Amino acid sequence: MTYRMPAEWTPHERTWMAWPGPNPTFTDDEELAAARAAWASVARAVRRFEPVTMVVSPATRRAPARSSARTSTWSSATSTTPGCGTSARPS
């Protein structure tokens, strides 16, 4: 079987995104919270046009919120971004 990466403009069923977890890219909790807010904003914009699936590390899903910044923690058996036409809901 051969896999290929289709062009960005090729018709597709959904967009896949990876939720940012703690890593060396983010210097502190505030920067990570800002990145998560940006990712959520992009997911909300895209979901207006197609479903979005957010891939989340199991460790990140279990981690408590570490910032007072406005971010959502999502729980879904299907790991699909909340509000994207699925049963997932923000908690």
Side-chain angles (χ1 to χ4, degrees), residues 47-81:
R47 78 172 184 209
R48 293 175 45 217
F49 305 98
E50 64 190 63
V52 173
T53 298
M54 188 70 68
V55 179
V56 180
S57 159
T60 299
R61 287 181 61 142
R62 288 189 297 268
R66 298 183 297 166
S67 171
S68 60
R70 170 77 172 79
T71 59
S72 296
T73 302
W74 298 320
S75 176
S76 168
T78 60
S79 298
T80 302
T81 303

Side-chain angles (χ1 to χ4, degrees), residues 17 19-20 26 29-44 54 69-72 74:
M17 295 176 68
W19 187 247
F26 309 111
D29 290 346
E30 204 170 288
E31 196 171 90
L32 177 58
R36 287 178 171 171
W39 258 255
S41 179
V42 170
R44 283 191 298 273
M54 188 70 68
R70 170 77 172 79
T71 59
S72 296
W74 298 320

Side-chain angles (χ1 to χ4, degrees), residues 8-35:
E8 188 175 302
W9 57 85
T10 302
H12 53 273
E13 294 180 21
R14 69 178 52 248
T15 292
W16 287 79
M17 295 176 68
W19 187 247
N23 68 69
T25 304
F26 309 111
T27 58
D28 57 33
D29 290 346
E30 204 170 288
E31 196 171 90
L32 177 58

